[in-house]
Amino acid sequence: MENLLSQIAAYKQEIENTQANGSANLEEYRIRFLGTKGIVKAMFGEMKNVPAEQKKEFGAILNEFKQFAEAKYESWKASFSGPDELTNEIDLTLPGDPMNLGSRHPISLVRNEIISIFRRLGFSVAEGPEVEDDWHNFTALNLPENHPARDMQDTFYLNQNPDWLLRTHTSNVQVREMEKGKLPIRIVCPGRVYRNETISARAHCFFHQVEGLYIDEHVSFADLKQTLYFFVQELFGRDVKIRFRPSYFPFTEPSAEMDISCLLCNGKGCNVCKNTGWVEILGCGMVHPQVLENCSIDSNKFTGFAFGMGIERITMLKHQINDLRLFSENDVRFLQQFTASL
Ligand code: DAH
């Protein structure tokens, strides 16, 4: 026991004399005294050689020695100013950790692409509110109260005031722009829209549209067709085939839907095009004179065309995505696949 006590005293002396002057030494110190094979552990191991009646006294001395060694370590460590000391350990020539860059959402990418095509034709971007009143979403667009066509779009109404709703299409922006009374108008209106639909691979309660509107003197259906031909060829390439089918929208007359040849099967027939070889991508038509009049535009002098398309649908066709829900789930494995060029 005498022998052990003098050893401990010598170690304490050594600890006292140790200069706190560098992190490399600190680590050496830690390993020598406090490591799993260090001196403190070894001294505790001597306990078994101490006679039973002295164990208590020796135990107290050991504990005190251990605290002494630990206290030195802690105060030494705390005395470091930080960066200066750290530079000793860090190789400043190593490359940094890679930063994970985010990517644009595929819906934003396709929206930007659509906008840039129409910009080249002289269209500018207009936006409007997502919480809208009945007039701008329905009535002004020739959908008066109780009009059966309102059932085409399942609407979310606001509890506080049933005159307010979440817009069901971006056509509300058409109305707001026409009401400003500045002609001619040549705009595209991108935005989010809402419909009370059960969420599935093919439907969601919100999605995105781009609306287009061109109003001036002498605008004709031929202008509409030519504009949309250009658009589709820019977006999908020169090989895609296009066809117009007569359709019905309350706010246009005549109205049409535009189909493109199915990109997945090249028109041969598959389950995306339901074996027809064609997929519908947008609705369009000549703005109904009543809509012009509702917005105080002289329908004898001005004519115009309008069109509206779903961005999700176009993105799904372009990138062969088969489930609409992927767009809103924020799964990075999905989102990382789209790299931004726009
Ligand atoms: N608003 C229509 C919809 O949400 C899309 C649409 C069709 C917009 C024809 C138009 C149009 O401007 O002329 O289904």
Side-chain angles (χ1 to χ4, degrees):
M1 161 107 171
E2 267 343 296
N3 202 6
L4 290 172
L5 290 182
S6 62
Q7 266 185 43
I8 289 176
Y11 284 137
K12 279 176 103 170
Q13 195 61 47
E14 182 187 333
I15 291 172
E16 209 129 48
N17 292 343
T18 306
Q19 289 291 326
N21 63 354
S23 58
N25 291 345
L26 173 66
E27 184 56 8
E28 272 170 31
Y29 171 88
R30 190 190 64 75
I31 292 167
R32 176 164 161 74
F33 284 99
L34 303 170
T36 41
K37 293 190 177 129
I39 288 165
V40 170
K41 268 262 159 60
M43 295 314 281
F44 271 90
E46 294 292 340
M47 185 67 118
K48 61 181 184 297
N49 303 324
V50 173
E53 67 278 11
Q54 290 179 326
K55 275 198 197 303
K56 193 172 168 207
E57 191 196 338
F58 187 64
I61 291 169
L62 273 181
N63 277 328
E64 198 263 335
F65 173 55
K66 182 178 174 218
Q67 280 164 16
F68 184 78
E70 284 174 346
K72 170 83 177 185
Y73 178 74
E74 290 305 329
S75 71
W76 189 352
K77 198 165 97 176
S79 73
F80 286 161
S81 52
D84 275 351
E85 293 301 335
L86 281 175
T87 47
N88 290 339
E89 290 193 342
I90 294 174
D91 180 351
L92 295 175
T93 63
L94 287 174
D97 286 339
M99 259 208 277
N100 275 332
L101 283 184
S103 54
R104 279 197 207 281
H105 194 281
I107 296 294
S108 306
L109 288 171
V110 172
R111 179 201 58 202
N112 291 352
E113 207 176 335
I114 295 171
I115 290 173
S116 94
I117 295 170
F118 283 107
R119 268 194 209 284
R120 275 180 264 149
L121 292 173
F123 286 75
S124 55
V125 173
E127 285 178 310
E130 291 179 19
V131 179
E132 188 53 284
D133 55 29
D134 183 278
W135 168 259
H136 291 96
N137 194 81
F138 286 131
T139 308
L141 287 161
N142 207 21
L143 278 136
E145 212 181 327
N146 301 325
H147 191 291
R150 284 195 182 204
D151 295 344
M152 282 157 64
Q153 304 178 352
D154 294 309
T155 310
F156 286 116
Y157 288 94
L158 268 63
N159 280 341
Q160 294 97 316
N161 183 348
D163 191 47
W164 287 86
L165 46 88
L166 299 182
R167 67 176 175 193
T168 58
H169 50 191
T170 42
S171 310
N172 67 324
V173 188
Q174 270 195 42
V175 177
R176 288 183 173 274
E177 288 298 313
M178 288 193 284
E179 281 177 342
K180 288 183 185 164
K182 271 173 78 190
L183 292 158
I185 296 172
R186 197 158 25 175
I187 50 166
V188 279
C189 322
R192 182 174 287 183
V193 303
Y194 302 83
R195 291 187 197 176
N196 191 359
E197 304 235 19
T198 309
I199 296 170
S200 72
R202 304 170 65 91
H204 211 294
C205 58
F206 67 83
F207 57 100
H208 300 79
Q209 289 188 331
V210 177
E211 181 95 3
L213 178 69
Y214 178 27
I215 297 185
D216 202 345
E217 294 179 40
H218 315 300
V219 176
S220 70
F221 201 89
D223 297 320
L224 166 62
K225 283 182 88 172
Q226 207 50 49
T227 304
L228 293 178
Y229 273 130
F230 175 80
F231 164 67
V232 167
Q233 293 196 335
E234 287 295 297
L235 192 66
F236 291 110
R238 300 269 144 190
D239 296 336
V240 72
K241 292 195 205 58
I242 300 160
R243 75 175 185 189
F244 286 82
R245 272 181 297 107
S247 184
Y248 170 76
F249 299 103
F251 29 89
T252 44
E253 180 58 35
S255 303
E257 280 174 303
M258 192 173 88
D259 298 341
I260 59 169
S261 50
C262 182
L263 300 166
L264 285 114
C265 62
N266 280 326
K268 287 187 202 76
C270 66
N271 58 2
V272 171
C273 60
K274 301 198 196 91
N275 286 320
T276 61
W278 296 96
V279 281
E280 182 236 309
I281 63 159
L282 57 80
C284 59
M286 300 305 292
V287 180
H288 197 294
Q290 185 61 52
V291 174
L292 295 174
E293 295 296 334
N294 287 346
C295 301
S296 311
I297 293 174
D298 182 353
S299 62
N300 291 317
K301 190 167 173 210
F302 291 99
T303 52
F305 66 73
F307 55 88
M309 66 189 96
I311 305 179
E312 274 80 353
R313 190 177 175 77
I314 290 180
T315 310
M316 288 169 90
L317 284 171
K318 213 171 147 58
H319 295 293
Q320 317 205 338
I321 297 163
N322 58 11
D323 193 327
L324 195 58
R325 289 168 292 197
L326 287 164
F327 291 124
S328 50
E329 280 171 352
N330 278 342
D331 185 333
V332 286
R333 291 168 302 178
F334 172 70
L335 297 174
Q336 268 169 354
Q337 298 175 54
F338 305 90
T339 41
S341 58
L342 283 165

